[in-house]
Amino acid sequence: MTDQAPEAESDIPGKPTSASRTTLSHIMTHSDTNLLGTVHGGVIMKLVDDAAGAVAGRHSGGPAVTASMDEMAFLEPVRVGDLVHVKAQVNWTGRTSMEVGVRVLAERWNESTPATQVGSAYLVFAAVDADGKPRRVPPVLPETDRDRRRYQEAQIRRTHRLARRREIRELRERRVAEGYAD
């Protein structure tokens, strides 16, 4: 079901979830806004990808590239002057890929109110070598009950991603066989 190497077969020592967890913080300015005057979703997505990429590189011990981003949810608008915190961690690892979970929080830069969750996303990264070829990643070692839950949920998301990809490929093959030119 997963491409996670069993512990006994893995020649790469595992790394705990906390080893690569990181937070990226950024103050939003007028240059970050969209036509509605709130921070553009693409700006938030770039911060998410940056933080997730840092985590993936830390966990894998080298370059890692974004393979997919899914379930990006924008929960609340972000405004100019918000201090945005992007918290990322590896949720799951396979042989060469890893899922990184990201939470986006925002707080007013000049207030002492608690930060509010404004978004979340899941990204899949593939570790690559100098030639851009896939390379092995260390297994992630969940440390807390929350980490173990995230690991299990990531396995479900992976199963759904692979099933969706397979079904789309099969549909396209059927359409070609039926003479439809897409």
Side-chain angles (χ1 to χ4, degrees):
M1 196 80 180
T2 70
D3 72 348
Q4 177 71 49
E7 288 293 324
E9 294 179 23
S10 180
D11 55 346
I12 301 173
K15 287 186 177 179
T17 307
S18 62
S20 57
R21 188 179 289 142
T22 194
T23 301
L24 174 75
S25 297
H26 189 78
I27 294 177
M28 298 291 105
T29 67
H30 287 287
S31 65
D32 299 318
T33 60
N34 58 26
L35 296 174
L36 299 174
T38 56
V39 172
H40 195 288
V43 170
I44 302 298
M45 290 173 74
K46 171 138 180 19
L47 294 173
V48 164
D49 191 46
D50 287 347
V55 166
R58 279 182 174 182
H59 183 82
S60 68
V65 295
T66 310
S68 69
M69 174 187 270
D70 62 18
E71 298 186 37
M72 180 73 208
F74 297 100
L75 306 173
E76 298 285 338
V78 177
R79 301 172 291 160
V80 169
D82 281 353
L83 178 57
V84 172
H85 308 286
V86 183
K87 297 177 177 282
Q89 75 171 46
V90 173
N91 290 335
W92 175 89
T93 53
R95 281 189 291 274
T96 62
S97 65
M98 58 209 119
E99 183 195 89
V100 178
V102 181
R103 288 179 52 223
V104 183
L105 305 160
E107 61 181 308
R108 295 306 293 166
W109 69 273
N110 59 349
E111 297 176 8
S112 59
T113 57
T116 302
Q117 185 171 352
V118 296
S120 65
Y122 299 101
L123 296 88
V124 176
F125 279 79
V128 295
D129 64 17
D131 297 322
K133 303 290 186 207
R135 63 181 175 79
R136 297 281 309 269
V137 298
V140 67
L141 305 173
E143 299 172 278
T144 66
D145 285 340
R146 177 181 273 183
D147 293 341
R148 285 183 279 282
R149 175 187 53 80
R150 288 178 177 168
Y151 185 91
Q152 291 171 329
E153 290 173 357
Q155 289 179 305
I156 293 167
R157 282 187 292 275
R158 180 176 187 276
T159 299
H160 289 176
R161 277 191 293 269
L162 293 175
R164 182 176 58 237
R165 187 179 306 148
R166 184 177 53 253
E167 288 181 37
I168 289 170
R169 185 179 57 246
E170 290 170 359
L171 173 63
R172 289 178 180 174
E173 290 169 357
R174 281 194 308 273
R175 288 185 52 80
V176 168
E178 293 168 0
Y180 294 102
D182 288 339

